Amino acid sequence: MSTKEEPTETNEIRYFVRIKNFDLDGTKSIERALLSLPGIGRRIAGLIINQADLNPKATLGLLDDNSIEKLTAKIDEFPSGIPTWATNRQNDFFTGEDRHLIGTDVNLVHQQDLNRMKKIGTYRGLRHRESLKVRGQRTKSTGRKGAKVGVSVKNRGGS
């Protein structure tokens, strides 16, 4: 595992690598490229790369197909062998288990949670429905979507 591989005629760089229905930048290191997947941060990317036995500084586009398949398999079976506090979906509402959502599942489950809160009429759901601040922020002077900030003055036209 060398830290820097130069592209040759036989080892052509792939500028886009498709993992979990996302195009990752092949010119970046594996560690940096994985950060563009929703649900994967720096710590999680490092854990996945260590489980796949890859060099985090290696360029993603220079990896062979076997290494990319191994990386994809480790992403699919994640979160095996990590503590529950490192997952992004602890104590799931429907199943009660700890999961780690990656890719399009992050936005899908978030929208489902918001719709459930709106439907049952929780305080947070009502605030989301009205497009107001949810977490106790001030609303007197900020968060005015589309409204004019300041004093409205009548038109003082001279007729």
Side-chain angles (χ1 to χ4, degrees):
M1 287 189 223
S2 64
T3 57
K4 182 107 176 169
E5 295 179 11
E6 292 296 324
T8 61
E9 289 84 23
T10 60
N11 200 6
E12 199 62 34
I13 189 167
R14 288 186 276 185
Y15 290 100
F16 295 104
V17 178
R18 190 104 171 135
I19 295 179
K20 297 287 287 184
N21 294 332
F22 282 90
D23 288 331
L24 303 182
D25 189 0
T27 60
K28 293 182 179 179
S29 67
I30 302 172
E31 194 173 31
R32 299 286 294 184
L34 284 181
L35 295 181
S36 61
L37 273 174
I40 294 184
R42 293 180 127 189
R43 183 180 299 245
I44 301 300
L47 288 172
I48 291 172
I49 293 168
N50 285 340
Q51 288 178 358
D53 292 329
L54 296 173
N55 182 7
K57 303 297 181 198
T59 306
L60 182 65
L62 295 176
L63 292 179
D64 58 340
D65 291 335
N66 293 334
S67 299
I68 292 175
E69 288 175 12
K70 188 192 305 186
L71 185 66
T72 306
K74 290 298 177 183
I75 290 173
D76 286 338
E77 70 184 32
F78 192 77
S80 62
I82 67 161
T84 58
W85 56 263
T87 60
N88 62 4
R89 183 86 177 154
Q90 295 138 7
N91 195 13
D92 186 45
F93 181 77
F94 297 108
T95 62
E97 61 188 27
D98 299 325
R99 300 178 7 197
H100 192 85
L101 303 174
I102 295 174
T104 55
D105 295 338
V106 175
N107 292 332
L108 181 68
V109 171
H110 181 67
Q111 286 301 318
Q112 288 175 348
D113 288 342
L114 292 180
N115 289 336
R116 188 183 73 245
M117 286 189 285
K118 290 175 188 177
K119 184 177 179 182
I120 63 177
T122 63
Y123 178 76
R124 285 178 62 191
L126 296 175
R127 301 291 287 185
H128 276 293
R129 186 183 303 148
E130 300 295 324
S131 298
L132 295 170
K133 305 277 183 164
V134 176
R135 298 185 176 181
Q137 299 96 327
R138 292 177 177 262
T139 57
K140 181 178 180 180
S141 59
T142 61
R144 301 181 187 185
K145 295 181 182 173
K148 294 180 183 177
V149 177
V151 178
S152 61
V153 179
K154 292 183 180 177
N155 186 5
R156 296 183 183 179
S159 53

